[in-house]
Every structure is written in structure tokens, then in C-alpha cells.
Amino acid sequence: VFFISYVVFEVPANMLLTRVRPSIYLSTICVLWGGVAAAMAAGQNWSQIAAVRFCLGIIEAAFAPGVAFYLSCWYKTHELARRFAIYYTGESS
């Protein structure tokens, strides 16, 4: 359920990247991500948790490409590999 929403909403989320300021875009997504993740604790059956996971996929689909895009805007090509490695290492924890 999570990956369905992740795949479907990744393209629209990427389209928003150029229209919204990074400070607003990424911070809003982080707050929403935390709220939706906390809402999983209120799920009492499989369908409720699946619905929350679907929403979490939507939010996460916007965050990961957003960070990658903005890192590529700020750093030179030869600096990106180290920055992406640090980001992905921190993300998997």
C-alpha cells in the first residue's frame, strides 16, 4: 500500500518542487510526515493502518526527491556523491 502511493505521487511531488520555496516545501513535508507517522498509533485495524501508510507514501514521495533535487542545486557535480551518501545513510536509520 505504501509503495503504490509513493510511485503514483512522486511525479506530482516533483512538479511542485519548482513552484514552492525549499524552506516551505521541505519543512511542511517534515511536519506532515511526523504527524502522519504518529497517527499510525491510533490505527486499530488493518484498514486504518493501511490508509495511514498510503498517506505516508504520498508525503515521503515528495520528500526524498525534494532533498535530492535541492542538494543537486547547491553543490557541484563532484561534491554530490558524498552529500547523497550522507543523506541516504541518515535516512535509513
Side-chain angles (χ1 to χ4, degrees):
V1 172
F2 171 80
F3 288 110
I4 294 168
S5 60
Y6 192 94
V7 169
V8 169
F9 286 96
E10 195 166 11
V11 172
N14 282 328
M15 292 169 65
L16 281 174
L17 286 173
T18 57
R19 304 205 189 290
V20 182
R21 287 186 4 218
S23 59
I24 294 172
Y25 185 76
L26 294 176
S27 60
T28 302
I29 289 172
C30 285
V31 170
L32 290 174
W33 192 353
V36 171
M40 279 198 304
Q44 296 181 1
N45 56 31
W46 186 87
S47 61
Q48 292 174 348
I49 293 174
V52 175
R53 290 291 295 177
F54 185 83
C55 294
L56 194 64
I58 294 170
I59 294 168
E60 209 167 322
F63 185 74
V67 170
F69 174 72
Y70 288 121
L71 282 176
S72 68
C73 290
W74 293 330
Y75 294 106
K76 296 177 184 173
T77 307
H78 67 278
E79 299 173 327
L80 277 177
R82 177 172 286 148
R83 278 25 177 228
F84 281 144
I86 292 168
Y87 165 67
Y88 285 122
T89 302
E91 183 183 73
S92 64
S93 299

